[in-house]
């Protein structure tokens, strides 16, 4: 099993100038497969029929032109694709890629057996440390970036971990990306809902941070999420962002938002067929723009509660879709994004914890390569809780140990120790145990194993209380990573200039 | 996906005289495998060396005599076994068995792809609906038997779901088994810590309920758990109970209690090698007593927190051991018991929910055949919470849906509906959705998906509040299953007579 540090060691190291280096879960075990190979093939065949017959709408002229040039059947905004175009695109899309960070040890591998985790994306509300749910702001984002930077379980920072509602939407990307790029050394992801100008601004900011345009053009540095307006529609802003990132060779994640029963069929087979068709259409566009562009097979597919029409992301159908989408991604040879710690509960409670743990365990065992909602999400993506963020990091640490490769050798099989202790004996005092007791097992920071009386004697503080305590202590230990003063100043000047331009009407 | 009833329908049916029939999860998907085949073989080879070299102690003369007669090497209470004795036993132990219940529809299959769930076993404390932790009593047991009877996710009643501390230990088995046998139609399991007389009393009670001794001798009706006093020791009471149940052909579960670092090596490879050796020794004894006796490959193997020596059953090492033990059981062709909804948290809180969901999800995906701690456990097995019992049942329902076989056919692929709705359309009002909306997705009883504002408007009741409400409503709906008056009277007379005899010194 992998070995983990305990509470004392973590806090001591967190107080040091640099954050603990992140670690990625590597899933070398057999991956979960809830569908048969025949079912995977049948769903893909249905997707090809959808792409050929119904087609997909792209609300962007350059995209339409690119499809037309490649030989797709184009009818206004509607594009119909055949299997050859799909196969050609899948042949150039890589199965693995690396995002290179601005500090050593912070690079992120996406694909193969590797899992990269980002905490959250798109939540308008925060459930804060005073247990208030309120609109998020730029300070909240900064706090979450610090937590993400400090947590070894987190690999990628989400610029939309919380929506900074105190910044006007058209310029929000500027201070938010600045916050992410300066307060953490970890690569950043975001979607772009206002159009290609946001994506181009970000490319320029990356060029400032990484030392010029070539340093971006030649190496993945950040990532964008492209949500499909399911069913079968790519809107202008998302399509523009896809194309800008693809032109620069930056990874693109194509994520249908199939809510079975609303934006897709209620039956999971049909929902997955549509989802697969939508992703493949997006994959084709990335490879038409620049062959070899890293593209993630994304999924936010789940269902709705058909009693009310409300989304159900903590549902068993959602967890099933995570496993199924990941099987489909493997079938295509593409890296996968799906799942995370998902819940529909409006507050951190037993429901939120049950649903998050069930979906997160399924996600890790499925062999997903990228989690976009791995820590802190509540209320069907609408809210983020920093305390639950840390509990989810502890779950990720725990799942890393559970799925770590077992060491089997003479030393770990311990036959001499078993014989020496003998029937009815005790291992606690044995040399075999004593020489290992500090690091042989996972030691959690938040979870307790002390029994009721001891817990009561220590003040009856439940897991949410303890997670909030831990959050405050961790944030106290935060130290901003180094950044060259000239770069910092250039970034600041760029943000100020673009804010003025955009508010003045120049995108 | 399997289809589930909603809140309204469940409550209506629960109000009917009979409980909803239980359903078993059937795991037809590929099972989780966290160890390689080579690792499984290496652990088994190490176990054979432990059995040959170190051996196992049995504190019971008839067991020792049986081993000696079979050709094992016997040295006082210590028995050393070779691979041939193991192989002979494994050849006659069945891979699947059925416990036949006293009412149709309540039979339980253990083995193959089937999962049977029992709620809990051995908890001395209850965390009750007034949120008090206190010693359990016979009324608490009756309440939990009613909940188990009413919950379709539960297949087997545990006579020790709570320890009835208001009954003297030597006679406790009598009113407790009477409670289980009369208040539920589901098969019952218990361990026997006071010796073979308890097991013999229970066989007599089963004979009363099922219509004579032959009805027991020819058919599994109940089950016993035999805990090994790890390392490598079977005490007198457990060994006696094993032998009584084996003589009567009733299923025996052999469960080591390897806490890595205390009652086994701290390294998981060694802990599993010892655990596997202990189970195989127990399996041999069952088959020496009566070849063909159903025997479960049990596991309560986990670790301890080496900072304090406290058990850690909600740990990643515990979840890993569930998956690993289940792989070993499959390797031997034996049905498996492991895992459940496990936690070390002293109260129902976010920790308890996270740990339970992580271990339960891993348990189901591992393809375990029998869960002994599937609903309600807190505080490392010490406490049971009825509210969490129902939340765990909802998780089991949810996992049944998630792992249910996907239906892939023209109807569920829904290509016509996708084409008719078209890009940018809505499925909610389509005939394909409307004709299915009542039963296509899982509809939880306790979890909500309503968003924060609605939740606040409805009184801000969290999941624990709602689970407690549901518990009260469900118990209101309970109706005792039918039992012939003569049988009921005979059972009562037997319990009264045996209580007098035992308290008078006659076991």
């Amino acid at each position: 099993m992998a070995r983990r540090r305990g509470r004392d060691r973590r806090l001591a190291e967190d107080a040091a100038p640099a954050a603990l280096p992140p670690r990625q879960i590597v899933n070398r075990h057999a991956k979960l497969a809830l569908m048969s190979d025949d079912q995977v093939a049948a769903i893909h065949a249905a997707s090809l029929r959808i792409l050929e017959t119904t087609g997909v709408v792209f609300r962007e002229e350059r995209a339409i032109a690119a499809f037309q040039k490649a030989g797709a059947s184009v009818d206004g905004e509607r594009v119909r694709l055949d299997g050859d175009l799909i196969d050609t695109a899948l042949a150039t899309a890589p199965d693995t890629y690396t995002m290179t960070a601005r500090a050593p040890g912070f690079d992120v591998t996406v694909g193969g057996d590797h899992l990269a985790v980002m905490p959250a994306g798109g939540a308008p509300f925060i459930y804060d440390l005073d247990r208030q749910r309120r609109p998020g702001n730029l300070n909240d984002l900064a706090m979450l970036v610090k937590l993400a930077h400090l947590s070894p379980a987190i690999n990628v920072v989400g610029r939309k971990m919380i929506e900074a509602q105190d910044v006007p939407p058209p310029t929000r990307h500027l201070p938010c990306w600045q916050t992410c790029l300066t307060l953490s050394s970890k690569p950043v992801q975001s979607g772009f809902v206002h159009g290609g100008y946001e994506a181009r601004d970000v490319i320029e900011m990356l060029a400032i941070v990484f030392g010029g345009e070539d340093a971006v053009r030649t190496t993945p540095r950040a990532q964008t999420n492209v949500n499909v307006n399911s069913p079968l529609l790519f809107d202008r802003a998302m399509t523009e962002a896809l194309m800008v990132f693809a032109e620069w060779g930056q990874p693109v994640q194509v994520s249908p938002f199939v809510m079975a029963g609303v934006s897709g069929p209620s039956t999971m087979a049909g929902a997955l067929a549509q989802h697969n068709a939508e992703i493949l259409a997006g994959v084709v566009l990335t490879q038409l723009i620049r062959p070899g562009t890293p593209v993630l097979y994304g999924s936010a597919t789940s269902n709705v509660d058909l009693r009310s029409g409300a989304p159900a992301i903590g549902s068993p159908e959602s967890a099933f879709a995570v496993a199924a989408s990941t099987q489909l991604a493997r079938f295509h040879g593409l890296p996968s994004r799906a799942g995370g710690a998902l819940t529909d509960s409006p507050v951190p409670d037993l429901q939120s914890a049950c649903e998050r743990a069930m979906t997160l365990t399924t996600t890790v065992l499925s062999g997903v390569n990228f989690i976009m909602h791995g820590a802190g999400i509540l209320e069907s993506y609408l809210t983020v809780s920093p305390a639950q963020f840390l509990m989810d990091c502890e779950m990720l640490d725990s799942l890393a140990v559970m799925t770590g490769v077992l060491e089997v050798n003479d030393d770990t099989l311990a036959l001499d120790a078993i014989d020496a202790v003998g029937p009815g004996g005790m291992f606690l005092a044995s040399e075999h145990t004593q020489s290992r007791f500090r690091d042989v097992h996972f030691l959690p920071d938040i979870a307790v194993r002390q029994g009721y009386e001891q817990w009561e004697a220590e003040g009856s503080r439940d897991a949410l209380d303890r997670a909030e305590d831990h959050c405050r202590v961790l944030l106290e230990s935060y130290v901003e990573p180094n950044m060259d003063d000239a770069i910092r100043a250039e970034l600041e000047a760029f943000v100020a200039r673009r804010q003025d331009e955009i508010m003045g009407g120049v995108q």
Side-chain angles (χ1 to χ4, degrees), chain A:
Chain A
M1 314 293 281
R3 287 163 190 194
R4 298 283 135 203
R5 80 231 96 48
R7 185 189 306 257
D8 298 340
R9 203 170 141 215
R10 171 184 282 194
L11 293 184
E13 291 185 7
D14 286 347
L20 282 178
R23 61 107 195 83
Q24 293 194 245
I25 292 178
V26 183
N27 281 307
R28 301 203 196 281
H29 57 83
K31 309 302 183 294
L32 187 59
L34 295 180
M35 297 193 295
S36 69
D37 291 346
D38 287 351
Q39 290 181 324
V40 171
I43 286 169
H44 180 58
S47 303
L48 292 179
R49 281 185 52 205
I50 294 169
L51 288 169
E52 283 178 357
T53 309
T54 308
V56 179
V57 163
F58 284 84
R59 298 225 158 119
E60 213 281 340
E61 306 75 20
R62 289 197 311 143
I64 296 291
F67 280 117
Q68 196 148 29
K69 188 177 161 200
S73 152
V74 169
D75 176 11
E77 293 178 323
R78 197 183 290 221
V79 176
R80 291 183 175 81
L81 303 169
D82 65 21
D84 287 348
L85 275 170
I86 310 287
D87 289 344
T88 305
L90 288 172
T92 55
D95 56 6
T96 305
Y97 59 92
T98 299
M99 282 192 277
T100 308
R102 68 181 177 92
F106 289 82
D107 294 353
V108 176
T109 300
V110 181
D113 289 336
H114 279 68
L115 170 61
V117 181
M118 166 178 149
F125 300 103
I126 187 164
Y127 188 90
D128 66 20
L129 292 175
D130 297 322
R131 305 200 184 175
Q132 297 299 312
R133 174 182 177 272
R134 55 172 177 75
N137 60 43
L138 194 56
N139 278 339
D140 296 326
L141 177 63
M143 185 261 291
L144 290 170
V145 174
K146 291 174 186 175
L147 283 186
H149 185 64
L150 290 165
S151 301
I154 302 301
N155 310 105
V156 173
V157 168
R159 102 87 172 127
K160 294 184 175 213
M161 289 188 290
I162 190 90
E163 281 296 347
Q165 298 202 46
D166 52 344
V167 183
T171 60
R172 191 176 290 164
H173 59 295
L174 295 162
C176 290
W177 273 86
Q178 183 185 16
T179 298
C180 296
L181 290 169
T182 53
L183 297 188
S184 175
S185 319
K186 296 179 181 178
V188 184
Q189 172 182 298
S190 176
F192 299 101
V193 297
H194 291 93
Y197 79 91
E198 288 181 323
R200 281 187 296 272
D201 284 346
V202 165
I203 296 289
E204 288 201 52
M205 292 170 87
L206 294 172
I208 292 168
V209 168
F210 288 102
E213 292 192 346
D214 274 359
V216 181
R217 208 186 308 269
T218 56
T219 312
R221 301 291 189 177
Q223 184 165 298
T224 190
N225 178 42
V226 170
N227 267 130
V228 186
N229 269 12
S230 305
L232 301 169
L233 189 151
F234 287 70
D235 71 18
R236 173 177 298 278
M238 286 287 178
T239 309
E240 284 179 0
L242 179 154
M243 294 172 75
V244 171
F245 263 54
E247 281 159 10
W248 286 82
Q250 300 301 299
V252 173
Q253 184 194 129
V254 182
S255 298
F257 209 70
V258 178
M259 292 285 179
V262 172
S263 55
S266 63
T267 45
M268 290 311 291
L272 287 166
Q274 179 191 312
H275 145 120
N276 186 53
E278 292 173 353
I279 298 171
L280 292 175
V283 169
V284 170
L285 182 56
T286 61
Q287 303 305 303
L288 292 179
I289 300 299
R290 175 165 154 172
T293 294
V295 54
L296 263 172
Y297 189 97
S299 173
T301 292
S302 67
N303 63 315
V304 295
D305 192 312
L306 286 166
R307 292 175 295 198
S308 63
I313 67 171
S315 67
E317 289 82 5
S318 170
F320 171 80
V322 169
S325 180
T326 309
Q327 273 189 270
L328 284 161
R330 269 198 297 274
F331 175 78
H332 298 308
L334 292 174
S336 56
R337 169 243 154 165
L342 306 178
T343 181
D344 303 301
S345 178
V347 287
D349 68 352
L350 273 74
Q351 177 188 343
S352 82
C354 281
E355 290 181 342
R356 305 153 78 72
M358 202 153 46
T359 50
L360 191 61
T361 304
T362 306
T363 300
V364 171
L365 291 174
S366 294
V368 166
N369 298 122
F370 188 87
I371 294 177
M372 186 169 141
H373 297 285
I377 282 284
L378 283 171
E379 204 190 352
S380 318
Y381 304 128
L382 290 184
T383 301
V384 164
S385 150
Q388 246 189 217
F389 183 117
L390 293 188
M391 293 202 71
D392 291 340
C393 287
E394 189 157 296
M395 271 206 283
L396 285 160
D397 288 341
S398 195
L399 288 165
V401 173
M402 181 183 115
T403 57
V405 174
L406 180 70
E407 286 175 42
V408 182
N409 54 45
D410 285 352
D411 190 45
T412 60
L413 284 168
L415 295 189
D416 291 345
I418 291 170
D419 195 59
V421 168
M426 277 281 277
F427 287 80
L428 200 50
S430 78
E431 167 58 21
H432 192 270
T433 305
Q434 286 298 312
S435 64
R436 287 169 177 78
F437 92 95
R438 279 183 191 282
D439 61 1
V440 69
H441 298 150
F442 177 68
L443 297 175
D445 290 314
I446 299 168
V448 294
R449 291 120 169 216
Q450 61 203 137
Y452 188 87
E453 284 84 1
Q454 178 71 12
W455 173 81
E456 204 174 28
E458 291 182 9
S460 304
R461 295 182 68 69
D462 74 13
L464 185 58
D465 298 325
R466 298 191 304 267
E468 289 167 346
D469 292 347
H470 187 50
C471 204
R472 293 189 183 95
V473 170
L474 202 58
L475 287 169
E476 280 289 312
S477 76
Y478 173 78
V479 176
E480 198 169 315
N482 294 327
M483 179 177 269
D484 186 279
D485 284 343
I487 293 176
R488 191 182 297 273
E490 193 180 347
L491 206 53
E492 203 165 315
F494 177 82
V495 167
R497 174 171 65 83
R498 287 293 295 144
Q499 277 177 324
D500 287 348
E501 288 175 0
I502 294 166
M503 296 315 277
V506 182
Q507 285 195 342

